[in-house]
Amino acid sequence: MQAEFLQAESASGSPSLAAALRQRRQRLATLISVPVVLWSGQSPSRNFPANSYPFRASSHFLYFAGLNLPKAAIALQGSHLTLFWDEPTPAEVLWHGPGPTRSQLAEQIGADDARPLADLEQYCAGAATIAVQDSTTRQQQEKLLGRSLVAPKLAQEPDRALVGAIAQVRLCHDDLALAEMRRAAQVTRRAHAAGRAATATATTEAEVRAAMEQVILAADMTPAYSSIVTVHGEVLHNCHYGHRLEPGDLLLADVGAETPLGWAADMTRTWPVSGQFSPTQCDIYDIVQAAHDRCIEAIAPGVEYREIHLLAARVLAEGLVSLGILCGAPEELVEQDAHALFFPHGVGHLLGLDVHDMEDLGDLAGYEPGRTRSDRFGLCYLRLDRPLRPGMVVTVEPGFYQIPALLQDPEKRDRYSALVNWDRLAGFADVRGIRIEDDVLVTATGVEVLTE
Amino acid sequence: MQAEFLQAESASGSPSLAAALRQRRQRLATLISVPVVLWSGQSPSRNFPANSYPFRASSHFLYFAGLNLPKAAIALQGSHLTLFWDEPTPAEVLWHGPGPTRSQLAEQIGADDARPLADLEQYCAGAATIAVQDSTTRQQQEKLLGRSLVAPKLAQEPDRALVGAIAQVRLCHDDLALAEMRRAAQVTRRAHAAGRAATATATTEAEVRAAMEQVILAADMTPAYSSIVTVHGEVLHNCHYGHRLEPGDLLLADVGAETPLGWAADMTRTWPVSGQFSPTQCDIYDIVQAAHDRCIEAIAPGVEYREIHLLAARVLAEGLVSLGILCGAPEELVEQDAHALFFPHGVGHLLGLDVHDMEDLGDLAGYEPGRTRSDRFGLCYLRLDRPLRPGMVVTVEPGFYQIPALLQDPEKRDRYSALVNWDRLAGFADVRGIRIEDDVLVTATGVEVLTE
Ligand SMILES: [Mn+2]
Ligand SMILES: [Mn+2]
């Protein structure tokens, strides 16, 4: 190992890149009047300082600067952009090789000016910003701005205005973003195909994960989040790959690629290890598939995403009634949140530079101004509650899980005692977790499924 | 993506694990009299708080606790171990699944006591510690200890005594460590074989990297550091994979696996993209190989590692003289650091839980007490200057590079004008970078090459 820190990774420069970035900056300028400074951040250390995690610039910086460049910042005065970055010293060039100059980077992204970091301080007076994730850079932000920063979702003025403006600008995607997301989705589809193929001979979850991430790395992309590849899909946040694959298992794979400029895909498939569903697995899979398909059919501009979530809940409830697992009228079951016993998460979320796009802004991006999270068991996990608009990309990811912590919870068993046929459910023990997730672009006339 | 944070990853419990860990704690207890508290740390965020980098516990915690467990701590009073950890709340179990209890983990690692984190404060009075890498946990350390912490290499008492004691304990490896390192090395060898095989059909560096890391991930291991897989081996810290492979290129791959308990391998191979070295590539490769082999032959208990470095330099100088690239007596060339024009790094370093083992302690681990770094161009990068002892694992990684920033440096060209035949060198333009690296265990009688 010789690596010490990552070098500037430059976007593939093109006139259209600079033009697209400039357009983003112009849109922001119409929404905010104070100067803005955004930092890219730097890699956190793993086990010792020189062995850092792979660098990933702040999404807000990436959105307007289009460079995965550590230790950089941009200042926006109106739509006038100044890039701040220190070129490598001769000693750094010795180890990291030659790279683009500051002015080459500036030209590539259509910056109006380019300066060393030492000049940044004079641009910080009265500027709004968003706190980055790494604390080393956050301390620099606080020092230069002369004030302390809080998590963006708690920001006060002037930062709160910036958070609101950015949430608005990033909500609907431009052509540059969509081109990147289509590339991420395409590689992600190939990764899923490779995972499915590898299952035939794999003996552990780790081998399937490896086959999937190989496709992503070979495309010079990176996983957008910690892959979930597990025969225990009922553990929703499962990032371990140690289980052996048994013939009767379902394998749930939630794996997505991210392009070098940071745009994500997010896709889940569930398939039988043996290549063949059992009858019970098939029954439940068909229900989840139906919920997935019906939701995508229902997506269109103006539709409330919350209604998509409730539609998924209703289709799942209908299916479970038809199988005799739930008892009652589907509409009423959903009103009582009975679906959430088996589907205790939201039907999806915004997708963009972040796999949960702009989640660092709390619900300021995902929730229409004035709306807040519901207290209801069946709605409280919903990450997105807005009317859909062309250019939004959302995930659609209904699922069915048998989570012991939920289904064995005495309070839940009591509350839903009349609505669940527990004996009937026991017959479906070989269905621990199923999810089907796609990335859906809302268009003027309907949808484009990026991951299909 | 559903992942929010990583769950306790438990060691494969066995009586021998607990016994081996207890022995490590006993050794530490003989070297330090104050109480010790070590924290495991937590994952830093990537682009938003819930999307974190994969968790990797502090190496010092891992060494004595044997658990890759986030948000945990251990207190050592003599060899008496208390494990501090909060079991997941019911809400966390819902998302992350059931896991071992605190007392199960405690038993697994042979802890004498196990308590919630709230009890940790009362163990902190007068305790020595080592600052972890993530700043969130570092702030908790400072709060509980009631004092500020600096980088371990700058530590004052009582931490300085702990740093010295840990450097001593971790320097020579026990059987548990060696078993882990052999496993890491074995997977690493397979990764290199896969990379070499993939080169036949690959068109980019990224594809070869992907083939190598697939082997590591499939073994449920993780890369120990950012892989270097490049046709520009002369860029020593090259973590980009975007170049196309051309038939005349050499591909340099520096890739190593890390086991779930954190033990690393570090291995470099260089092979021709076409499968066939050119005559000039073959000439230089043979010289690097000779330096590598001679160094490994010379390793034995009592030998100064610095002498291994100088041996590599001499063999390289001899070879370059024989090719007409350097002019003069090899011994004198090395004294004048002429070898460092082409080999500007140390011949290797300690290997263990960290790929540069204990580099967070600065040179306190790598340098024998009383020794400091040389100012010499040909020695200043040496990370290890100690007499070798049985149980040490060191890398041996001589190389040859044509680094423009060095070879075009006017000062260097002037200083070495009479010693380099620049015209002759020009004939070797197709040799940009070669390195051959293996992991070598010093035994009582000689060596065991782990990566061979
Ligand atoms: Mn090395
Ligand atoms: Mn998702």
Side-chain angles (χ1 to χ4, degrees):
Chain A
M1 180 254 192
Q2 290 286 337
E4 265 172 19
F5 61 80
L6 288 174
Q7 158 85 351
E9 186 165 350
S10 64
S12 51
S14 74
S16 65
L17 174 70
L21 295 171
R22 220 178 271 123
Q23 231 167 36
R24 291 177 184 172
R25 296 180 310 240
Q26 281 160 356
R27 286 186 60 209
L28 184 70
T30 65
L31 297 173
I32 187 159
S33 52
V34 296
V36 171
V37 179
L38 294 170
W39 278 259
S40 68
Q42 61 186 84
S43 299
S45 299
R46 194 170 172 268
N47 44 340
F48 58 95
N51 197 18
S52 55
Y53 288 101
F55 177 68
R56 206 299 189 157
S58 151
S59 293
H60 305 298
F61 177 92
L62 275 176
Y63 188 80
F64 295 106
L67 292 170
N68 193 38
L69 184 70
K71 298 184 185 177
I74 51 173
L76 291 158
Q77 299 154 300
S79 63
H80 183 278
L81 175 74
T82 308
L83 172 69
F84 298 86
W85 182 60
D86 289 343
E87 293 183 357
T89 62
E92 288 166 348
V93 170
L94 175 57
W95 301 102
H96 300 275
T101 64
R102 182 193 297 129
S103 57
Q104 283 169 336
L105 290 176
E107 194 189 331
Q108 187 175 296
I109 65 168
D112 302 290
D113 196 5
R115 295 172 169 273
L117 281 165
D119 289 359
L120 179 56
E121 185 161 14
Q122 65 203 71
Y123 289 70
C124 287
T129 197
I130 295 183
V132 298
Q133 299 299 311
D134 78 280
S135 61
T136 307
T137 305
R138 207 154 55 234
Q139 284 167 17
Q140 292 167 9
Q141 292 182 291
E142 295 186 333
K143 192 168 159 228
L144 288 178
L145 293 165
R147 57 193 174 86
S148 61
L149 293 178
V150 294
K153 62 180 171 180
L154 305 172
Q156 302 300 311
E157 297 305 342
D159 302 339
R160 192 167 178 84
L162 176 61
V163 165
I166 284 185
Q168 207 174 321
V169 173
R170 286 179 52 187
L171 196 59
C172 298
H173 297 299
D174 57 21
D175 289 344
L176 175 61
L178 291 174
E180 290 278 313
M181 292 173 82
R182 287 191 187 98
R183 285 178 55 219
Q186 191 178 30
V187 168
T188 299
R189 279 160 43 205
R190 287 202 281 114
H192 279 262
R196 204 179 280 250
T199 306
T201 55
T203 58
T204 63
E205 296 165 345
E207 291 168 56
V208 179
R209 174 211 180 188
M212 299 182 76
E213 294 196 7
Q214 179 187 26
V215 172
I216 294 172
L217 296 180
D220 213 5
M221 295 189 184
T222 191
Y225 50 91
S226 295
S227 300
I228 298 171
V229 181
T230 184
V231 292
H232 283 281
E234 81 280 11
V235 180
L236 295 179
H237 297 168
N238 196 339
C239 294
H240 295 266
Y241 316 101
H243 293 115
R244 292 187 61 82
L245 308 181
E246 304 295 343
D249 286 337
L250 294 178
L251 186 75
L252 184 155
D254 184 348
V255 175
E258 179 180 298
T259 70
L261 284 184
W263 296 88
D266 185 8
M267 178 173 171
T268 308
R269 290 291 184 269
T270 309
W271 59 80
V273 165
S274 66
Q276 194 92 47
F277 286 115
S278 74
T280 40
Q281 290 168 344
C282 195
D283 284 343
I284 304 280
Y285 190 90
D286 286 347
I287 293 171
V288 177
Q289 180 82 62
H292 165 273
D293 295 352
R294 294 271 302 277
C295 285
I296 292 179
E297 283 162 28
I299 286 179
V303 172
E304 289 285 349
Y305 189 76
R306 179 194 171 100
E307 292 303 320
I308 302 297
H309 176 75
L310 290 168
L311 174 60
R314 205 163 54 242
V315 176
L316 288 167
E318 280 165 10
L320 296 177
V321 167
S322 75
L323 291 181
I325 293 172
L326 287 179
C327 322
E331 283 286 357
E332 281 165 33
L333 288 165
V334 170
E335 268 165 37
Q336 293 178 72
D337 296 322
H339 66 279
L341 282 172
F342 304 100
F343 172 48
H345 61 73
V347 77
H349 48 82
L350 293 170
L351 182 72
L353 280 164
D354 308 309
V355 62
H356 294 167
D357 206 29
M358 300 184 275
E359 193 171 284
D360 66 321
L361 309 183
D363 283 338
L364 293 168
Y367 273 59
E368 194 75 1
R371 298 186 188 175
T372 54
R373 295 247 180 168
S374 163
D375 287 337
R376 273 179 58 183
F377 170 45
L379 279 172
C380 61
Y381 296 116
L382 192 58
R383 288 189 160 95
L384 175 58
D385 184 5
R386 283 185 182 266
L388 296 169
R389 289 162 48 190
M392 278 186 181
V393 176
V394 300
T395 67
V396 171
E397 48 178 310
F400 171 95
Y401 316 92
Q402 295 204 53
I403 305 174
L406 266 185
L407 298 179
Q408 305 303 328
D409 176 20
E411 184 265 323
K412 293 274 186 305
R413 281 188 88 95
D414 185 52
R415 179 165 155 200
Y416 295 109
S417 59
L419 305 182
V420 179
N421 182 336
W422 299 100
D423 287 341
R424 179 78 180 134
L425 180 64
F428 291 82
D430 69 345
V431 191
R432 291 191 293 257
I434 292 174
R435 180 163 64 254
I436 307 173
E437 176 179 29
D438 278 301
D439 303 342
V440 179
L441 166 66
V442 184
T443 66
T445 54
V447 301
E448 174 188 335
V449 182
L450 304 181
T451 35
E452 207 167 72
Chain B
M1 180 252 194
Q2 290 287 338
E4 265 172 20
F5 62 79
L6 288 173
Q7 156 87 350
E9 186 166 351
S10 65
S12 50
S14 73
S16 66
L17 173 71
L21 294 170
R22 220 179 269 123
Q23 229 166 37
R24 290 177 184 172
R25 291 170 329 229
Q26 282 161 354
R27 285 186 61 209
L28 184 70
T30 65
L31 295 174
I32 188 160
S33 50
V34 295
V36 171
V37 178
L38 294 171
W39 277 259
S40 68
Q42 62 186 85
S43 298
S45 299
R46 194 168 172 267
N47 44 340
F48 58 96
N51 197 17
S52 57
Y53 288 102
F55 177 68
R56 203 309 187 150
S58 152
S59 294
H60 305 298
F61 177 91
L62 276 176
Y63 189 80
F64 295 106
L67 292 171
N68 193 37
L69 184 71
K71 299 184 184 177
I74 51 172
L76 291 157
Q77 298 154 301
S79 62
H80 183 278
L81 175 75
T82 307
L83 173 68
F84 298 86
W85 182 61
D86 288 344
E87 291 183 359
T89 63
E92 288 166 347
V93 171
L94 176 57
W95 301 101
H96 300 276
T101 64
R102 184 192 297 127
S103 57
Q104 284 170 335
L105 289 176
E107 193 189 334
Q108 187 174 298
I109 66 168
D112 302 290
D113 196 4
R115 295 172 169 273
L117 281 166
D119 290 358
L120 179 57
E121 186 162 15
Q122 66 204 68
Y123 288 72
C124 287
T129 196
I130 295 182
V132 298
Q133 299 299 310
D134 77 281
S135 61
T136 307
T137 305
R138 207 154 56 234
Q139 283 167 18
Q140 292 168 7
Q141 293 183 291
E142 294 185 334
K143 192 169 159 228
L144 288 178
L145 292 165
R147 57 191 173 88
S148 61
L149 294 177
V150 294
K153 61 181 174 181
L154 304 171
Q156 302 300 310
E157 297 306 343
D159 302 339
R160 192 168 179 85
L162 176 61
V163 165
I166 283 186
Q168 207 173 322
V169 172
R170 284 179 54 188
L171 195 60
C172 298
H173 296 300
D174 57 21
D175 289 344
L176 175 62
L178 291 175
E180 289 278 312
M181 294 174 81
R182 285 190 188 99
R183 285 178 55 218
Q186 191 177 29
V187 168
T188 299
R189 280 160 41 203
R190 287 201 282 115
H192 278 264
R196 203 181 281 250
T199 306
T201 55
T203 58
T204 63
E205 295 164 347
E207 291 167 57
V208 180
R209 175 209 179 190
M212 299 181 77
E213 294 195 6
Q214 180 186 23
V215 173
I216 294 172
L217 296 179
D220 213 6
M221 295 190 184
T222 191
Y225 50 91
S226 295
S227 300
I228 299 171
V229 181
T230 183
V231 292
H232 283 281
E234 81 280 12
V235 180
L236 295 180
H237 298 169
N238 197 339
C239 293
H240 296 266
Y241 316 101
H243 293 114
R244 290 187 63 82
L245 308 181
E246 304 295 342
D249 286 337
L250 294 177
L251 186 75
L252 184 154
D254 185 347
V255 175
E258 179 180 299
T259 69
L261 283 185
W263 295 89
D266 184 8
M267 177 173 172
T268 308
R269 291 291 184 268
T270 309
W271 58 79
V273 165
S274 66
Q276 193 92 45
F277 286 116
S278 74
T280 41
Q281 289 168 343
C282 196
D283 284 344
I284 304 281
Y285 190 90
D286 286 348
I287 293 171
V288 176
Q289 180 81 63
H292 166 273
D293 294 352
R294 294 273 301 279
C295 285
I296 292 179
E297 284 163 26
I299 286 179
V303 172
E304 288 286 348
Y305 189 77
R306 178 195 172 99
E307 292 302 321
I308 302 297
H309 176 73
L310 290 169
L311 173 60
R314 206 162 55 241
V315 176
L316 287 166
E318 280 165 10
L320 296 177
V321 167
S322 75
L323 292 179
I325 292 172
L326 286 179
C327 322
E331 283 286 358
E332 281 165 31
L333 288 165
V334 171
E335 268 165 36
Q336 294 178 71
D337 295 321
H339 66 281
L341 281 172
F342 305 101
F343 172 48
H345 62 72
V347 77
H349 48 81
L350 293 169
L351 182 72
L353 280 164
D354 308 309
V355 60
H356 294 168
D357 206 29
M358 298 183 274
E359 193 171 282
D360 67 321
L361 310 183
D363 284 338
L364 292 168
Y367 274 59
E368 193 75 1
R371 297 185 188 175
T372 54
R373 294 249 180 166
S374 164
D375 287 336
R376 273 178 58 181
F377 169 46
L379 279 172
C380 61
Y381 296 115
L382 193 57
R383 288 188 159 97
L384 175 58
D385 184 4
R386 283 186 181 265
L388 296 170
R389 288 163 47 191
M392 279 187 182
V393 175
V394 299
T395 67
V396 171
E397 50 179 310
F400 172 95
Y401 317 92
Q402 295 204 52
I403 304 174
L406 266 185
L407 298 179
Q408 304 302 329
D409 175 21
E411 184 265 322
K412 293 276 188 306
R413 281 188 89 94
D414 185 54
R415 180 165 153 202
Y416 295 109
S417 61
L419 305 182
V420 179
N421 183 336
W422 300 100
D423 288 341
R424 180 74 182 138
L425 180 64
F428 290 83
D430 69 345
V431 191
R432 293 191 293 257
I434 292 174
R435 180 164 64 253
I436 306 172
E437 175 179 30
D438 279 301
D439 303 342
V440 178
L441 166 66
V442 183
T443 65
T445 53
V447 301
E448 174 188 335
V449 181
L450 304 180
T451 35
E452 208 167 71

